[in-house]
Amino acid sequence: NWGDKTLSASRGVSAYFCHNSYVAQVVDIVMQDDKPKIKKVWCAVDCGIVINPDAARNQIEGGIVDGIGHAMYSAITFEKGEPKENNFNQYQLIRHGQAPASIETFFVDNGISPTGLGEPSLPPISAALANALAKATGQRLYRQPFVDQQEILG
């Protein structure tokens, strides 16, 4: 449904290469009470032969959720050279209700030797999310975590 004018979500896309693996992601968000709600993420991965599909899917989806958490909520600030957030009661990790409602992962079946899979899904979700937020708000966000930019996100 790419280009569907009736789509109620704002869509962002990104692509990334590392550890000899390619990852492309698409994210759909909706704004609820001026705050972004991530509805769905699609992720295509070209990492060679996938030996254990369930474990591979878990790695990809875990990287996506962790990447969303870092991009949206996780901030470390410093005062006089020391971190102000020095434990988890002060450092916000992503919560279950903030994770995407759905993630679909697709692996390219190319028959080449396996490449890296541990890290490649985390970095591109920030870009896809930033692109979706730009579409939803009309303003480009340049600093993470995005939630700190209240002037744009309400």
Side-chain angles (χ1 to χ4, degrees), residues 64-79:
I64 289 169
V65 172
D66 199 28
I68 290 168
H70 292 302
M72 288 297 296
Y73 311 108
S74 301
I76 296 180
T77 55
F78 293 87
E79 189 173 288

Side-chain angles (χ1 to χ4, degrees), residues 66 69-70 73-74 88 91-95 98:
D66 199 28
H70 292 302
Y73 311 108
S74 301
F88 291 112
Y91 178 79
Q92 183 181 346
L93 296 170
I94 191 168
R95 290 167 172 78
Q98 297 164 326

